[in-house]
Amino acid sequence: MVLSLSGVRKSYTTTEGTIEILSGIDLDIAASESVALTGESGSGKSTLLHLAAGLDHPDSGLVLMGGQDIASFDDRERARYRRTQVGIVFQQFNLIPSLNVAANISFHAKLAERYDPIWEATLTKELGLRPYLARYPEQLSGGQQQRVAIGRTLAARPPLILADEPTGNLDEATGDTVLDLMLSLARSAGSALLLVTHSSRLADRLDRKVVLRSGRIAG
Ligand code: ADP
Ligand code: MG
């Protein structure tokens, strides 16, 4: 398994008290498998992705990545994990403003020591980014920036891609096109994909759909 969550629980404490958001999550994702994660707003989808990314810790339960317990990693191992094993595409593009498009795309691939100019040329062509390689993020539209963010993640060919409503800032038609592209390119890269999406049309194109409801994974 690329990712395996078992018995994962997570609560948040605020001034209003403590609420349990995840109440025993069991989820396995195999190599190259694509899984759509849906659920009502506030059901804990982003919380689950943060745990899978090693950005936060569960209260109890296990998050295994390639069979390894990420809670057991020290800071160096966790940084290495984020650099090489997992790619994250969130709604905020988080491009590096001082780097042009070409450099933004190769940045993570180089960090992960998986820089491959031929794959990168394929990505920039498929994503329609060839005309913009010398531009800086602020000189791009939202849709173009999102395609750069996706290209950057795919360029590193991570074993697992976590995508949290990655096209939430785009209009529906553009968002669907970009997600379609991300799905087919993730397949080419051999990356597993856990994608939070509201588009049932898109969810249908993934290998499997799971729903987060009352803190648990249903169907
Ligand atoms: P989703 O992504 O499915 O919309 P989230 O995982 O973002 O849901 O949030 C689940 C619930 O946890 C929401 O009720 C949200 O308000 C709450 N929550 C998320 N993060 C925090 C936090 N850091 N502190 C307190 N409550 C939080
Ligand atoms: Mg969310």
Side-chain angles (χ1 to χ4, degrees), residues 1-3 29-35 158-161 183 186-194 206-208:
M1 290 298 158
V2 165
L3 177 70
I29 299 179
S32 307
E33 189 182 24
S34 59
V35 178
L160 175 67
I161 295 174
L183 180 56
R187 286 201 170 124
S188 305
S191 302
L193 177 66
L194 179 58
L206 274 61
D207 297 331
R208 193 152 59 91

Side-chain angles (χ1 to χ4, degrees), residues 32-179:
S32 307
E33 189 182 24
S34 59
V35 178
L37 176 64
T38 60
E40 283 176 11
S41 179
S43 60
K45 304 179 297 294
S46 296
T47 301
L48 195 158
L49 258 65
H50 276 90
L51 296 174
L55 296 169
D56 201 357
H57 303 288
D59 299 334
S60 62
L62 280 179
V63 179
L64 303 181
M65 167 59 57
Q68 280 186 293
D69 180 359
I70 65 175
S72 70
F73 291 169
D74 62 23
D75 288 349
R76 214 176 113 255
E77 289 169 322
R78 188 165 299 109
R80 192 184 146 66
Y81 162 77
R82 288 209 207 112
R83 204 163 59 231
T84 63
Q85 301 303 303
V86 64
I88 298 173
V89 189
F90 288 169
Q91 244 180 66
Q92 306 74 13
F93 310 131
N94 295 323
L95 300 176
I96 301 169
S98 59
L99 296 181
N100 69 20
V101 168
N104 262 286
I105 290 175
S106 50
F107 186 77
H108 285 192
K110 285 178 175 165
L111 275 182
E113 295 174 12
R114 289 201 203 98
Y115 176 62
D116 173 352
I118 296 173
W119 172 235
E120 210 165 285
T122 304
L123 284 175
T124 51
K125 180 163 183 285
E126 293 286 325
L127 289 165
L129 291 171
R130 284 267 170 90
Y132 312 112
L133 292 175
R135 289 207 202 171
Y136 288 83
E138 63 179 15
Q139 301 170 316
L140 301 174
S141 72
Q144 291 162 345
Q145 288 186 39
Q146 185 59 307
R147 282 183 278 145
V148 176
I150 288 170
R152 172 185 60 181
T153 297
L154 288 161
R157 294 182 191 267
L160 175 67
I161 295 174
L162 302 169
D164 194 354
E165 304 186 54
T167 57
N169 290 328
L170 307 179
D171 66 77
E172 199 175 327
T174 311
D176 271 20
T177 310
V178 170
L179 278 182

